[in-house]
Amino acid sequence: MSARSRVDDDDEKVIAMKPKQLQSELQDLRTFSNPKQNLEQYATTPLLATKLLQVASVEFNDIEEKSVIDLGVGTGVLAIGAKLMGAGHVLGIDVDADALEECKENLEMYDPELEVELCLMDVVELIRRYDYDEDEDEDEDEDEAVSVKRKDYVWPRADTVLTNPPFGTRRKGADVAFLAAAMKMAETAVYSFHKTSTREYIEKVAVKKLGAKSAKVVAEMKYGLKNQYGHHRKDEVEVFVDVWRIEPSSSKAKKDDDDDEKDEMFEQNLRDLAANIEELQLSARQRKDKERNKNSRKNSDNRKKW
Ligand code: SAH
């Protein structure tokens, strides 16, 4: 693939691609060779990615010459699409080093190689830790205290954040944590995919819980999920998804008192969210311990038989 085809020879200005051409470029990218179910790794289809990028670029001017973060970049379809549409600096974040490796291979398929910065980061964990109340831990031993004092965690920032987040079916709360992180990172807008069936819930989370200035569905699509994990009965399941455009409260627009109130609400809700996730992790740990006890009991039963 040639990234050069996008460049005007006279002034080296990047020319945004037409949707059909973009879609066919994205078709050639590799997707997860070994998708991890616990991370809900589903690649966005080229059609869906093109739709999101086209709306973001043409209707809202949120891509061309803008800095972009792809949150949960996976093998990179949204980041690469943004770059091909003329984005400025693009950063891809993922918790999975294997996915980042495959994303890098996709970037290298271009000549010259597409420039997308990649970063290994667990955004769910970071949201959980963010803004932990320092005072409570004063008596803790030093290492512990340092690890929880993340009050002013410096999030990477970009004009636009794109994400096809985990839907939160494997790690509960991951969808909300992704949205919270995306809103921390976006100056202007977050674009995110969510199941149409969760429309009311997403609006409530974005506006009421996370204090978004606005949250709108800007496109509706069908998403053909391939049976890559074997737990679906059919080969492909059709899921209806919405493309959301969410404006964070701390966007470039001038703040007023109302916004300050929303900021406060946002911080409080993040603390609630952190507590929720902690609880969930605790119960997961308890489940694991139970399982372990059961197994060790089984083992000792087996030993008795010997
Ligand atoms: N953006 C890609 C992949 C979407 S699948 C695409 O559109 O095709 C969701 C992605 O989120 C996966 O790559 C998964 O590894 C990543 N992910 C899941 N949990 C994460 C976490 N806690 N922190 C960062 N990335 C995470």
Side-chain angles (χ1 to χ4, degrees):
M1 277 185 267
S2 168
R4 250 183 223 122
S5 63
R6 306 171 298 113
V7 175
D8 186 323
D9 283 341
D10 294 337
D11 57 3
E12 290 281 303
K13 190 178 174 301
V14 174
I15 295 167
M17 276 190 182
K18 296 260 178 333
K20 273 265 169 299
Q21 192 189 351
L22 179 67
Q23 196 183 324
S24 88
E25 285 268 344
L26 299 181
Q27 217 100 45
D28 293 335
L29 297 176
R30 59 182 297 171
T31 57
F32 301 103
S33 56
N34 245 323
K36 293 176 184 150
Q37 197 173 356
N38 60 334
L39 295 175
E40 296 187 60
Q41 293 184 332
Y42 289 103
T44 307
T45 60
L47 180 68
L48 216 58
T50 302
K51 182 75 186 173
L52 180 146
L53 287 161
Q54 199 202 356
V55 171
S57 176
V58 177
E59 279 184 39
F60 296 97
N61 193 24
D62 281 332
I63 302 292
E64 228 175 303
E65 290 175 18
K66 305 289 187 216
S67 54
V68 172
I69 291 176
D70 181 347
L71 196 55
V73 63
T75 53
V77 65
L78 295 174
I80 290 170
K83 202 74 200 168
L84 295 175
M85 292 287 277
H89 183 263
V90 178
L91 169 67
I93 294 172
D94 208 287
V95 71
D96 181 23
D98 295 335
L100 291 179
E101 195 60 46
E102 288 183 301
C103 182
K104 177 91 177 110
E105 282 168 30
N106 274 333
L107 297 170
E108 285 168 354
M109 274 163 56
Y110 287 83
D111 181 24
E113 182 182 334
L114 278 189
E115 264 184 55
V116 171
E117 196 185 338
L118 297 176
C119 170
L120 189 70
M121 189 192 269
D122 184 339
V123 297
V124 176
E125 178 65 17
L126 280 175
I127 278 290
R128 189 179 74 83
R129 282 173 174 237
Y130 171 78
D131 209 23
Y132 198 95
D133 198 346
E134 286 183 43
D135 301 334
E136 280 178 18
D137 293 278
E138 259 170 11
D139 297 333
E140 299 277 332
D141 79 83
E142 219 175 294
D143 277 357
E144 183 79 14
V146 168
S147 75
V148 294
K149 282 184 185 173
R150 306 297 289 259
K151 206 163 183 76
D152 293 314
Y153 185 77
V154 182
W155 295 93
R157 304 274 292 172
D159 295 313
T160 308
V161 175
L162 312 176
T163 184
N164 187 357
F167 288 147
T169 42
R170 304 294 302 187
R171 190 173 175 184
K172 257 198 160 257
D175 50 346
V176 181
F178 255 66
L179 264 191
M183 283 170 62
K184 284 271 167 205
M185 296 176 183
E187 295 277 358
T188 308
V190 172
Y191 289 84
S192 185
F193 292 105
H194 296 277
K195 285 185 196 165
T196 301
S197 57
T198 62
R199 194 175 283 184
E200 268 177 46
Y201 169 73
I202 294 299
E203 169 146 37
K204 211 161 76 187
V205 166
V207 178
K208 294 232 174 78
K209 205 172 167 66
L210 300 175
K213 210 165 65 171
S214 75
K216 291 198 172 65
V217 174
V218 291
E220 296 172 68
M221 303 280 290
K222 241 190 296 180
Y223 187 19
L225 280 183
K226 293 248 157 46
N227 180 4
Q228 51 186 19
Y229 298 125
H231 67 270
H232 302 297
R233 255 167 285 139
K234 296 181 191 155
D235 282 347
E236 192 172 292
V237 206
E238 270 183 357
V239 181
F240 290 89
V241 295
D242 294 332
V243 179
W244 285 82
R245 182 178 190 272
I246 299 168
E247 289 180 296
S249 59
S250 57
S251 79
K252 276 176 184 159
K254 219 173 128 271
K255 283 181 160 213
D256 55 21
D257 290 353
D258 194 36
D259 276 342
D260 284 343
E261 211 173 283
K262 274 188 188 160
D263 276 355
E264 225 169 84
M265 201 166 68
F266 179 82
E267 304 299 341
Q268 182 54 47
N269 284 325
L270 273 185
R271 280 193 286 274
D272 292 350
L273 184 73
N276 275 348
I277 293 177
E278 213 159 347
E279 245 170 60
L280 285 162
Q281 288 193 329
L282 202 68
S283 68
R285 223 172 293 142
Q286 281 165 347
R287 258 203 320 276
K288 259 195 205 143
D289 284 349
K290 244 193 210 164
E291 194 72 23
R292 218 173 289 134
N293 286 344
K294 219 166 65 192
N295 286 341
S296 69
R297 230 177 298 138
K298 247 194 230 152
N299 286 344
S300 65
D301 283 355
N302 284 346
R303 267 201 297 281
K304 269 183 219 149
K305 275 181 209 143
W306 282 99

